[in-house]
Amino acid sequence: MSTAYTPRPEDKFSFGLWTVGNRGRDPFGEAVREPLPPVDAVGLLAEVGAWGVNLHDNDLVPIDATPADRDRIVREFKAACERHGIVVPMATVSLFFDPVFRDGAFTANDPGVRSYALQKTMRAMDLGAELGAKIFVLWGGREGVETDACRRPDEAVKRLREAVNFLCEYSIDRKYGFRFALEAKPNEPRGDIYMATTGAYLGFIATLDHPDMVGVNPEVAHEQMAGLNFVHAVAQAWEAGKLFHIDLNDQVSGRYDQDFRFGSANIKTAFFLVKFLEDVGYDGPRHFDAHAYRTEDYAGVRDFARGCMRTYLILREKARQWNADSEIQAVLSETRDAPKFAPYSAKRRDELLQQPFDRASMARKGLAYERLDQLTIDLLLGVR
Amino acid sequence: MSTAYTPRPEDKFSFGLWTVGNRGRDPFGEAVREPLPPVDAVGLLAEVGAWGVNLHDNDLVPIDATPADRDRIVREFKAACERHGIVVPMATVSLFFDPVFRDGAFTANDPGVRSYALQKTMRAMDLGAELGAKIFVLWGGREGVETDACRRPDEAVKRLREAVNFLCEYSIDRKYGFRFALEAKPNEPRGDIYMATTGAYLGFIATLDHPDMVGVNPEVAHEQMAGLNFVHAVAQAWEAGKLFHIDLNDQVSGRYDQDFRFGSANIKTAFFLVKFLEDVGYDGPRHFDAHAYRTEDYAGVRDFARGCMRTYLILREKARQWNADSEIQAVLSETRDAPKFAPYSAKRRDELLQQPFDRASMARKGLAYERLDQLTIDLLLGVR
Amino acid sequence: MSTAYTPRPEDKFSFGLWTVGNRGRDPFGEAVREPLPPVDAVGLLAEVGAWGVNLHDNDLVPIDATPADRDRIVREFKAACERHGIVVPMATVSLFFDPVFRDGAFTANDPGVRSYALQKTMRAMDLGAELGAKIFVLWGGREGVETDACRRPDEAVKRLREAVNFLCEYSIDRKYGFRFALEAKPNEPRGDIYMATTGAYLGFIATLDHPDMVGVNPEVAHEQMAGLNFVHAVAQAWEAGKLFHIDLNDQVSGRYDQDFRFGSANIKTAFFLVKFLEDVGYDGPRHFDAHAYRTEDYAGVRDFARGCMRTYLILREKARQWNADSEIQAVLSETRDAPKFAPYSAKRRDELLQQPFDRASMARKGLAYERLDQLTIDLLLGVR
Amino acid sequence: MSTAYTPRPEDKFSFGLWTVGNRGRDPFGEAVREPLPPVDAVGLLAEVGAWGVNLHDNDLVPIDATPADRDRIVREFKAACERHGIVVPMATVSLFFDPVFRDGAFTANDPGVRSYALQKTMRAMDLGAELGAKIFVLWGGREGVETDACRRPDEAVKRLREAVNFLCEYSIDRKYGFRFALEAKPNEPRGDIYMATTGAYLGFIATLDHPDMVGVNPEVAHEQMAGLNFVHAVAQAWEAGKLFHIDLNDQVSGRYDQDFRFGSANIKTAFFLVKFLEDVGYDGPRHFDAHAYRTEDYAGVRDFARGCMRTYLILREKARQWNADSEIQAVLSETRDAPKFAPYSAKRRDELLQQPFDRASMARKGLAYERLDQLTIDLLLGVR
């Protein structure tokens, strides 16, 4: 077994500017780390071995920047990326930080806010395209409510659809070639956020004008906040051809958004996730949307970033070991046969209706899943 | 204001046989109520003022019944329904109670179990059709895992799709005219259940052979177990034309499936739900999938059933009052204007990109949602 | 039924400076309201009808204030309180906002931080005493971990005990007459906070040098974040003589700390809480530790504050109505007889061991709790 | 590193009769395994290497057994234990399964039920003493409510206290020498259970007549259902001298009671738990209160039981490795110095009040907890 878990460009590990640049501000406390200029963040990411950097428009360009400032900032950032061999696979837009979005962006009751949100997103798409990004993430962090008295929720869905449809047209119009990845979250910073789960977005996408251009960006923490099985959500998205991006981090269920280092809270879930992504051949970015504990200085931020990638690589090796383990595969092989019902026909129907079944005997057979799971635990703990 | 909250047939209140017939068995205790024969359940439902009764195949016909027994049972049940003026709007199938389904039904690893599940569902559809049901609910209570080692989750999605596609063909073939309503649940009785949320099923439906025949059956408790906003889930389903049925009950978040009396735990949520259903003109059954506390005898079961309907009717009246409340409407009217972005055009794009926005001024305006919500609370508490 | 729910001084409604002064900053967004100077907050509270104001040291006095500034600020604040007829029933200390506390205060690994935390608390006690407060709340918001690798949790308990013991001595020494009220929270801003529940603090208090001086300050949101029944926690504290203070607000379970307007999320829970406090004759402050939605300006902040008190008063009236409701009382009276087992004796033992019980008959009796609960719902909805 | 994780008697691994004997019945399904006679359960436990067996009264003796049957059953069971070298370290009483307890046992509104519960417990104590148990667990599974309308919660606390006091007297009277271990759970099978957390019981114990005789029996799943940090709860109990027993299993937060195989869901939590128990020298039973998945036959039940013990032993070895890891210890040593504040004196007070602190400099120091946690993850995954 290799002990070198060193990230390489082909692993496609990326971090948002806002992740290594997170300053540790929280609802009960002040920032604990000095600002990290974007150009320095790129350097840090190169140093720890990342492949890509992602950004919200305002992670790089202040919301009040003049056009000249904007252009200078972008130029210097591109130069830094080139110098360090870092790519920009994904871009997104902040529709949540500025007070103007306190009632939502695309779904806000104030039509002026909705228009502004659209304008801001178009400009963020311009920026992302200029930096070479091919994926554009939309996270509607403020699209929600504290009280459902303020808006009918079906109206919110309609407003959201109108905005996404418009942005698809804009991408086509400008020939940006973006694939949009919609990111769900159940709550925080709003009491409830519309489109609470990855599944909700999969349902929504089917109602769009250009469903082919739009997929999802599931985030570990966001499904796990609601106690949902993240691997199942990712699998459904993948199977539907909609896994356009993924946000890796970790989270204890039923809590505030923790954005912990990947694999640091739920080892087993992280394992099945990595195994799934590798088994199906997902070849998009492995994006870490997490941040260092508030106890850390920038040395700790580097430890954090290295740890995300290292744990991914350890688990990837374990996934290969699991697939090659003959005892594990033996348990599974007994249960894998998969006859097909389709296509439906009168003959198939009648065969099925008349087929005799020995229910009791089928129910008696032990499935050895306790053994299978313990073998998995042994493997995870490195004693197998 | 009317004080008579008496259910009428046009309210379309229905109960499952398993709800008023629930005997109070739980993981830590034995049944506390004597069995309630289905014919007597129909009588009880008529007595309390319900309109319809729903059933799983085995609520009515024991899994081991001979064809002759089955026919007699069905005949007597139909007679009871007619005698009491009770309809059967929805039927479903138990793919969870018998030990044969301990690893799932349509998604079980054993192909024999999958075949048997399909056969059993076809027969349950025959039964439902015979009783006049036009909605067929599928709840995959055992379609899940305790350990993800046992099955790749995308394989489970494929198996589920194959089964639903087959059953759609069967309905077409038999001219049953069923609309299928898929019911999500995040967990219990399995560690995790596939298709954890209503949203997940909305995404799944878009991938079926006959998406038009298939909708959802959201259940209050099932979304609230995961702490999700139920009204938002229902609104998304409705807006997509997929609200084929609904299961009303109540539940405290983050817990075992409680199936409490409708409106007994989360009054405010229940209010916004009733308001939504009434505002949009949902005209399907209002099905109560709940049961009486284990402390109750059958007098208490009647109290429980009456309470479900009564609370619905009280909240419906409050919804009308809310809509007619000029102070409430005044807060909302300030925020309701809805200019459309579509259709996209170069002109519209350029207008939007060049439109100036006074962010600070838009952000300063108080939205009066605290007042709006307090008015709602006042109205709910009957002091307005 | 009275329609005037106007707060009066004898209701003892208090708000923290940080509640009406909350500026709406959250992890994903900037402040939305201008700062509210403490003196103006006192005016606002007087205007809406509050009785008291509470504060952390740094709500009033900046952490960097010179002694002269400090004295001037305190003088002006006291004058404002007197002018507006507002009292300061409780004081507390911020051991969470400054970055120095990022690893805890009394439990931090750095002994210098622990010493500083003690010093800061002593000075906050000086301040509270000067303002006339008799209750001193300790909320250890940073006393926790993101990883249990950093500290043995029993060591944290010892450090916490040492600090509280020291502060009790200081109060005795200075003749401040403080009663300490310890406030539990399960998590946020730390991944896990030590002493996660009110119960944990009740256990802890029993191990202190001066248990009589120390009680608890349960907060609605903090127990409900973990999905716990808040009324049960309050009842246990009260019954043990330890309910020294209470923080009223509202919260949806399993989420970030929402601090919603009292009674706005869980109406039924709020009702049983008010009923309990009134039934037992709790005569301490009714402190609202909540804040206005981020959508509000200061008019909305007033609406928020008024709403907290109004809902309390509505529910208090309903509690009286509930107690006077003969149908409700009739259900309860059947079950209220309470023979005592104590004192233990050989005779009592033998009687009990030989007493025959008809288990089946005892189990058959319906308890009418569904009816009881529906009567409660009717009463809450104002249709009774 | 040893690869032999074979349980030995000195490891004190015990299982309840109800754990290996669990038949897989759940709210949505029938039992899947044949009954396992207690005598056979003892044989199974000996076969897999357990040291002890625990039981509720009715796990062994049916509730309707005649005295003669009872004596024969107990005799045969003792013989089986002796034959297999299995001890009975703990006994308990079922105050939850029979319908008579549907409204509680010690806290039921019906005084007859309360008396019966006491009698039943006294007899279960007789049984436990006869089998040699020295620990008596009390889990009040039905001591709770679905609606708080039915009983004032402080009344429930009083009733519970009276019962526990009485039972302490009975143990003294009979010279049984029992230590009582109270087991908390937040909910299920009741909507809410009184004494929801281990902390609540620690507070309760301080109010008893014989607090020295009474401690707690924390259960992993029960704290984790509410999303609480189990290790913190155990540490508080241990530090207070109250860790009389422990129930090991696993659980995903915010869900029904899963009772999974120890260490199968939350590896990291299980590690810190084992580390804590071993570090402090806990020498009581390691009781596994869990059961096999419903997919298993009795071969799978054996796999389950072996897996519980194996994972404990693997984690114990890792705990030793962690303690011996110089890099890990180096991070910790920087932060471990612990000057004492006590005893309080005027001198100590003044020193502390006058001590200067450089807040900014204390706040700047990185604590390397990300590195510490990643080292822990590496160690857990066996790559260190």
Side-chain angles (χ1 to χ4, degrees), chain C residues 102 119 123 147 161-162 173 239 341 344 349 353 365 373, chain D residues 102 123 147 161-162 173 239 341 344 349 352-353 365 373:
Chain C
R102 71 213 186 288
Q119 181 193 78
R123 289 181 177 164
T147 172
R161 182 183 298 114
E162 188 182 20
D173 177 12
E239 204 266 348
F341 304 121
Y344 184 91
R349 174 198 70 201
L353 282 172
K365 190 168 175 304
D373 191 68
Chain D
R102 69 213 186 289
R123 289 183 177 163
T147 172
R161 181 183 300 114
E162 189 182 19
D173 177 12
E239 203 267 347
F341 304 122
Y344 184 92
R349 174 198 70 201
L352 199 51
L353 282 172
K365 188 169 175 306
D373 191 68

mmCIF file of all heavy atoms in Angstrom, chain C residues 102 119 123 147 161-162 173 239 341 344 349 353 365 373, chain D residues 102 123 147 161-162 173 239 341 344 349 352-353 365 373:
data_model
loop_
_atom_site.group_PDB
_atom_site.id
_atom_site.type_symbol
_atom_site.label_atom_id
_atom_site.label_comp_id
_atom_site.label_asym_id
_atom_site.label_seq_id
_atom_site.Cartn_x
_atom_site.Cartn_y
_atom_site.Cartn_z
ATOM 1 N N ARG C 102 -11.226 32.075 21.064
ATOM 2 C CA ARG C 102 -11.584 31.130 19.992
ATOM 3 C C ARG C 102 -11.459 29.675 20.413
ATOM 4 O O ARG C 102 -12.057 28.785 19.809
ATOM 5 C CB ARG C 102 -10.757 31.431 18.741
ATOM 6 C CG ARG C 102 -9.295 31.061 18.887
ATOM 7 C CD ARG C 102 -8.418 32.020 18.086
ATOM 8 N NE ARG C 102 -7.021 31.597 18.098
ATOM 9 C CZ ARG C 102 -6.228 31.689 19.173
ATOM 10 N NH1 ARG C 102 -6.655 32.178 20.322
ATOM 11 N NH2 ARG C 102 -4.978 31.284 19.096
ATOM 12 N N GLN C 119 -10.601 37.342 34.912
ATOM 13 C CA GLN C 119 -10.491 38.782 35.187
ATOM 14 C C GLN C 119 -11.641 39.549 34.520
ATOM 15 O O GLN C 119 -12.281 40.399 35.132
ATOM 16 C CB GLN C 119 -9.160 39.293 34.637
ATOM 17 C CG GLN C 119 -8.943 40.766 34.902
ATOM 18 C CD GLN C 119 -7.781 41.305 34.080
ATOM 19 O OE1 GLN C 119 -7.900 41.579 32.882
ATOM 20 N NE2 GLN C 119 -6.645 41.472 34.750
ATOM 21 N N ARG C 123 -14.673 41.792 36.353
ATOM 22 C CA ARG C 123 -14.986 43.190 36.023
ATOM 23 C C ARG C 123 -16.423 43.344 35.523
ATOM 24 O O ARG C 123 -17.082 44.352 35.802
ATOM 25 C CB ARG C 123 -13.996 43.706 34.977
ATOM 26 C CG ARG C 123 -12.609 43.890 35.579
ATOM 27 C CD ARG C 123 -11.625 44.424 34.580
ATOM 28 N NE ARG C 123 -10.328 44.643 35.237
ATOM 29 C CZ ARG C 123 -9.177 44.817 34.584
ATOM 30 N NH1 ARG C 123 -9.170 44.798 33.265
ATOM 31 N NH2 ARG C 123 -8.054 45.014 35.251
ATOM 32 N N THR C 147 -12.828 19.435 17.542
ATOM 33 C CA THR C 147 -12.302 18.072 17.593
ATOM 34 C C THR C 147 -11.966 17.716 19.035
ATOM 35 O O THR C 147 -11.289 18.486 19.719
ATOM 36 C CB THR C 147 -11.035 17.891 16.727
ATOM 37 O OG1 THR C 147 -10.483 16.580 16.997
ATOM 38 C CG2 THR C 147 -9.975 18.937 17.005
ATOM 39 N N ARG C 161 -15.452 24.174 36.633
ATOM 40 C CA ARG C 161 -15.813 24.189 38.051
ATOM 41 C C ARG C 161 -14.928 25.151 38.822
ATOM 42 O O ARG C 161 -15.408 25.937 39.649
ATOM 43 C CB ARG C 161 -15.685 22.784 38.638
ATOM 44 C CG ARG C 161 -16.109 22.724 40.122
ATOM 45 C CD ARG C 161 -15.926 21.344 40.735
ATOM 46 N NE ARG C 161 -16.750 20.360 40.068
ATOM 47 C CZ ARG C 161 -16.256 19.355 39.349
ATOM 48 N NH1 ARG C 161 -14.942 19.200 39.195
ATOM 49 N NH2 ARG C 161 -17.080 18.501 38.777
ATOM 50 N N GLU C 162 -13.641 25.083 38.532
ATOM 51 C CA GLU C 162 -12.704 25.956 39.234
ATOM 52 C C GLU C 162 -13.085 27.426 39.017
ATOM 53 O O GLU C 162 -13.070 28.229 39.962
ATOM 54 C CB GLU C 162 -11.286 25.686 38.732
ATOM 55 C CG GLU C 162 -10.255 26.412 39.557
ATOM 56 C CD GLU C 162 -8.844 26.189 39.034
ATOM 57 O OE1 GLU C 162 -8.679 25.807 37.856
ATOM 58 O OE2 GLU C 162 -7.909 26.414 39.820
ATOM 59 N N ASP C 173 -17.167 37.762 48.507
ATOM 60 C CA ASP C 173 -16.135 38.688 48.966
ATOM 61 C C ASP C 173 -16.583 40.145 48.779
ATOM 62 O O ASP C 173 -16.494 40.972 49.692
ATOM 63 C CB ASP C 173 -14.871 38.369 48.157
ATOM 64 C CG ASP C 173 -13.704 39.283 48.458
ATOM 65 O OD1 ASP C 173 -13.759 40.041 49.442
ATOM 66 O OD2 ASP C 173 -12.717 39.234 47.697
ATOM 67 N N GLU C 239 -38.377 22.638 39.739
ATOM 68 C CA GLU C 239 -38.672 21.705 40.814
ATOM 69 C C GLU C 239 -37.463 21.540 41.742
ATOM 70 O O GLU C 239 -37.602 21.274 42.934
ATOM 71 C CB GLU C 239 -39.092 20.356 40.203
ATOM 72 C CG GLU C 239 -39.949 19.471 41.074
ATOM 73 C CD GLU C 239 -39.124 18.477 41.857
ATOM 74 O OE1 GLU C 239 -37.921 18.312 41.573
ATOM 75 O OE2 GLU C 239 -39.695 17.862 42.790
ATOM 76 N N PHE C 341 -46.009 6.506 48.305
ATOM 77 C CA PHE C 341 -45.370 5.268 48.743
ATOM 78 C C PHE C 341 -44.573 5.494 50.030
ATOM 79 O O PHE C 341 -44.485 4.638 50.886
ATOM 80 C CB PHE C 341 -44.432 4.737 47.660
ATOM 81 C CG PHE C 341 -45.125 4.535 46.358
ATOM 82 C CD1 PHE C 341 -44.713 5.178 45.213
ATOM 83 C CD2 PHE C 341 -46.231 3.684 46.293
ATOM 84 C CE1 PHE C 341 -45.361 4.973 44.010
ATOM 85 C CE2 PHE C 341 -46.892 3.486 45.084
ATOM 86 C CZ PHE C 341 -46.466 4.130 43.948
ATOM 87 N N TYR C 344 -40.845 4.512 53.390
ATOM 88 C CA TYR C 344 -40.612 3.086 53.229
ATOM 89 C C TYR C 344 -40.669 2.406 54.594
ATOM 90 O O TYR C 344 -40.149 2.931 55.573
ATOM 91 C CB TYR C 344 -39.228 2.855 52.620
ATOM 92 C CG TYR C 344 -38.930 1.404 52.327
ATOM 93 C CD1 TYR C 344 -39.234 0.851 51.090
ATOM 94 C CD2 TYR C 344 -38.327 0.595 53.277
ATOM 95 C CE1 TYR C 344 -38.951 -0.472 50.804
ATOM 96 C CE2 TYR C 344 -38.037 -0.744 53.004
ATOM 97 C CZ TYR C 344 -38.362 -1.271 51.769
ATOM 98 O OH TYR C 344 -38.088 -2.588 51.494
ATOM 99 N N ARG C 349 -43.715 -2.169 52.239
ATOM 100 C CA ARG C 349 -43.070 -3.067 51.277
ATOM 101 C C ARG C 349 -43.933 -4.304 51.035
ATOM 102 O O ARG C 349 -44.231 -4.666 49.901
ATOM 103 C CB ARG C 349 -41.707 -3.487 51.839
ATOM 104 C CG ARG C 349 -40.972 -4.541 51.025
ATOM 105 C CD ARG C 349 -39.882 -5.191 51.868
ATOM 106 N NE ARG C 349 -40.464 -6.036 52.909
ATOM 107 C CZ ARG C 349 -39.852 -6.416 54.028
ATOM 108 N NH1 ARG C 349 -38.622 -6.014 54.285
ATOM 109 N NH2 ARG C 349 -40.465 -7.192 54.910
ATOM 110 N N LEU C 353 -45.850 -5.603 47.730
ATOM 111 C CA LEU C 353 -45.459 -6.848 47.057
ATOM 112 C C LEU C 353 -46.647 -7.791 46.907
ATOM 113 O O LEU C 353 -46.696 -8.589 45.968
ATOM 114 C CB LEU C 353 -44.329 -7.542 47.828
ATOM 115 C CG LEU C 353 -42.937 -6.941 47.611
ATOM 116 C CD1 LEU C 353 -41.923 -7.564 48.559
ATOM 117 C CD2 LEU C 353 -42.490 -7.142 46.157
ATOM 118 N N LYS C 365 -58.386 0.906 29.815
ATOM 119 C CA LYS C 365 -59.069 2.174 30.026
ATOM 120 C C LYS C 365 -58.519 3.282 29.112
ATOM 121 O O LYS C 365 -57.338 3.625 29.167
ATOM 122 C CB LYS C 365 -58.872 2.583 31.486
ATOM 123 C CG LYS C 365 -59.712 3.756 31.903
ATOM 124 C CD LYS C 365 -59.698 3.940 33.412
ATOM 125 C CE LYS C 365 -60.453 5.204 33.777
ATOM 126 N NZ LYS C 365 -59.939 6.411 33.102
ATOM 127 N N ASP C 373 -56.040 16.951 24.182
ATOM 128 C CA ASP C 373 -55.143 17.737 23.336
ATOM 129 C C ASP C 373 -55.925 18.554 22.310
ATOM 130 O O ASP C 373 -55.572 19.699 22.016
ATOM 131 C CB ASP C 373 -54.143 16.817 22.630
ATOM 132 C CG ASP C 373 -53.038 17.617 21.966
ATOM 133 O OD1 ASP C 373 -52.232 18.211 22.698
ATOM 134 O OD2 ASP C 373 -52.993 17.669 20.722
ATOM 135 N N ARG D 102 -48.699 2.115 29.039
ATOM 136 C CA ARG D 102 -48.773 3.007 27.885
ATOM 137 C C ARG D 102 -48.755 4.480 28.262
ATOM 138 O O ARG D 102 -48.420 5.344 27.442
ATOM 139 C CB ARG D 102 -50.012 2.686 27.048
ATOM 140 C CG ARG D 102 -51.315 3.055 27.730
ATOM 141 C CD ARG D 102 -52.406 2.084 27.348
ATOM 142 N NE ARG D 102 -53.702 2.498 27.880
ATOM 143 C CZ ARG D 102 -54.030 2.440 29.182
ATOM 144 N NH1 ARG D 102 -53.180 2.004 30.103
ATOM 145 N NH2 ARG D 102 -55.221 2.827 29.575
ATOM 146 N N ARG D 123 -39.668 -6.996 42.315
ATOM 147 C CA ARG D 123 -39.502 -8.407 41.942
ATOM 148 C C ARG D 123 -38.350 -8.593 40.947
ATOM 149 O O ARG D 123 -37.641 -9.598 40.990
ATOM 150 C CB ARG D 123 -40.805 -8.945 41.368
ATOM 151 C CG ARG D 123 -41.861 -9.091 42.453
ATOM 152 C CD ARG D 123 -43.154 -9.684 41.925
ATOM 153 N NE ARG D 123 -44.104 -9.866 43.029
ATOM 154 C CZ ARG D 123 -45.416 -10.050 42.868
ATOM 155 N NH1 ARG D 123 -45.931 -10.078 41.632
ATOM 156 N NH2 ARG D 123 -46.205 -10.223 43.907
ATOM 157 N N THR D 147 -48.628 14.574 24.641
ATOM 158 C CA THR D 147 -49.103 15.945 24.835
ATOM 159 C C THR D 147 -48.867 16.363 26.284
ATOM 160 O O THR D 147 -49.234 15.636 27.210
ATOM 161 C CB THR D 147 -50.602 16.099 24.504
ATOM 162 O OG1 THR D 147 -51.017 17.428 24.910
ATOM 163 C CG2 THR D 147 -51.470 15.078 25.214
ATOM 164 N N ARG D 161 -38.963 10.602 41.536
ATOM 165 C CA ARG D 161 -38.092 10.646 42.709
ATOM 166 C C ARG D 161 -38.620 9.718 43.801
ATOM 167 O O ARG D 161 -37.858 8.969 44.412
ATOM 168 C CB ARG D 161 -37.982 12.075 43.237
ATOM 169 C CG ARG D 161 -37.055 12.187 44.453
ATOM 170 C CD ARG D 161 -37.003 13.596 45.018
ATOM 171 N NE ARG D 161 -36.519 14.547 44.052
ATOM 172 C CZ ARG D 161 -37.230 15.545 43.527
ATOM 173 N NH1 ARG D 161 -38.493 15.732 43.918
ATOM 174 N NH2 ARG D 161 -36.716 16.355 42.636
ATOM 175 N N GLU D 162 -39.910 9.800 44.005
ATOM 176 C CA GLU D 162 -40.498 8.963 45.047
ATOM 177 C C GLU D 162 -40.231 7.486 44.763
ATOM 178 O O GLU D 162 -39.875 6.716 45.676
ATOM 179 C CB GLU D 162 -42.014 9.217 45.111
ATOM 180 C CG GLU D 162 -42.655 8.558 46.292
ATOM 181 C CD GLU D 162 -44.168 8.763 46.333
ATOM 182 O OE1 GLU D 162 -44.760 9.092 45.289
ATOM 183 O OE2 GLU D 162 -44.737 8.570 47.414
ATOM 184 N N ASP D 173 -32.787 -2.491 52.442
ATOM 185 C CA ASP D 173 -33.575 -3.379 53.294
ATOM 186 C C ASP D 173 -33.220 -4.847 53.015
ATOM 187 O O ASP D 173 -32.964 -5.635 53.925
ATOM 188 C CB ASP D 173 -35.056 -3.083 52.997
ATOM 189 C CG ASP D 173 -36.019 -3.972 53.762
ATOM 190 O OD1 ASP D 173 -35.592 -4.680 54.702
ATOM 191 O OD2 ASP D 173 -37.227 -3.959 53.412
ATOM 192 N N GLU D 239 -16.575 12.080 35.720
ATOM 193 C CA GLU D 239 -15.885 13.056 36.564
ATOM 194 C C GLU D 239 -16.662 13.270 37.862
ATOM 195 O O GLU D 239 -16.085 13.596 38.899
ATOM 196 C CB GLU D 239 -15.736 14.367 35.772
ATOM 197 C CG GLU D 239 -14.633 15.286 36.225
ATOM 198 C CD GLU D 239 -15.097 16.322 37.219
ATOM 199 O OE1 GLU D 239 -16.343 16.491 37.381
ATOM 200 O OE2 GLU D 239 -14.252 16.963 37.842
ATOM 201 N N PHE D 341 -6.403 28.522 40.050
ATOM 202 C CA PHE D 341 -6.856 29.783 40.648
ATOM 203 C C PHE D 341 -7.100 29.611 42.141
ATOM 204 O O PHE D 341 -6.874 30.511 42.925
ATOM 205 C CB PHE D 341 -8.134 30.264 39.975
ATOM 206 C CG PHE D 341 -7.977 30.414 38.511
ATOM 207 C CD1 PHE D 341 -8.788 29.730 37.621
ATOM 208 C CD2 PHE D 341 -6.989 31.255 37.997
ATOM 209 C CE1 PHE D 341 -8.634 29.876 36.261
ATOM 210 C CE2 PHE D 341 -6.826 31.397 36.628
ATOM 211 C CZ PHE D 341 -7.645 30.697 35.755
ATOM 212 N N TYR D 344 -9.288 30.754 46.641
ATOM 213 C CA TYR D 344 -9.583 32.184 46.523
ATOM 214 C C TYR D 344 -9.019 32.927 47.728
ATOM 215 O O TYR D 344 -9.123 32.447 48.857
ATOM 216 C CB TYR D 344 -11.095 32.384 46.471
ATOM 217 C CG TYR D 344 -11.507 33.821 46.251
ATOM 218 C CD1 TYR D 344 -11.714 34.307 44.968
ATOM 219 C CD2 TYR D 344 -11.693 34.689 47.323
ATOM 220 C CE1 TYR D 344 -12.107 35.621 44.752
ATOM 221 C CE2 TYR D 344 -12.067 36.009 47.119
ATOM 222 C CZ TYR D 344 -12.274 36.466 45.826
ATOM 223 O OH TYR D 344 -12.654 37.765 45.619
ATOM 224 N N ARG D 349 -7.119 37.370 44.217
ATOM 225 C CA ARG D 349 -8.083 38.227 43.524
ATOM 226 C C ARG D 349 -7.385 39.456 42.929
ATOM 227 O O ARG D 349 -7.554 39.768 41.753
ATOM 228 C CB ARG D 349 -9.150 38.678 44.536
ATOM 229 C CG ARG D 349 -10.150 39.671 44.022
ATOM 230 C CD ARG D 349 -10.855 40.367 45.194
ATOM 231 N NE ARG D 349 -9.938 41.260 45.902
ATOM 232 C CZ ARG D 349 -10.084 41.689 47.148
ATOM 233 N NH1 ARG D 349 -11.124 41.290 47.882
ATOM 234 N NH2 ARG D 349 -9.213 42.510 47.697
ATOM 235 N N LEU D 352 -5.020 38.808 40.090
ATOM 236 C CA LEU D 352 -5.742 38.488 38.855
ATOM 237 C C LEU D 352 -6.348 39.757 38.238
ATOM 238 O O LEU D 352 -6.309 39.959 37.027
ATOM 239 C CB LEU D 352 -6.825 37.455 39.168
ATOM 240 C CG LEU D 352 -7.400 36.663 38.010
ATOM 241 C CD1 LEU D 352 -6.324 36.025 37.157
ATOM 242 C CD2 LEU D 352 -8.316 35.569 38.560
ATOM 243 N N LEU D 353 -6.899 40.604 39.106
ATOM 244 C CA LEU D 353 -7.521 41.820 38.580
ATOM 245 C C LEU D 353 -6.489 42.755 37.962
ATOM 246 O O LEU D 353 -6.802 43.515 37.044
ATOM 247 C CB LEU D 353 -8.290 42.548 39.692
ATOM 248 C CG LEU D 353 -9.653 41.942 40.041
ATOM 249 C CD1 LEU D 353 -10.247 42.611 41.287
ATOM 250 C CD2 LEU D 353 -10.627 42.094 38.859
ATOM 251 N N LYS D 365 -1.971 33.250 18.055
ATOM 252 C CA LYS D 365 -1.240 31.975 18.035
ATOM 253 C C LYS D 365 -2.093 30.841 17.456
ATOM 254 O O LYS D 365 -3.149 30.521 17.975
ATOM 255 C CB LYS D 365 -0.853 31.653 19.482
ATOM 256 C CG LYS D 365 0.068 30.470 19.604
ATOM 257 C CD LYS D 365 0.646 30.358 21.005
ATOM 258 C CE LYS D 365 1.466 29.095 21.126
ATOM 259 N NZ LYS D 365 0.744 27.873 20.740
ATOM 260 N N ASP D 373 -6.140 16.971 14.404
ATOM 261 C CA ASP D 373 -7.281 16.158 13.993
ATOM 262 C C ASP D 373 -6.938 15.298 12.781
ATOM 263 O O ASP D 373 -7.368 14.145 12.680
ATOM 264 C CB ASP D 373 -8.480 17.059 13.682
ATOM 265 C CG ASP D 373 -9.747 16.243 13.527
ATOM 266 O OD1 ASP D 373 -10.212 15.683 14.534
ATOM 267 O OD2 ASP D 373 -10.253 16.130 12.396
#
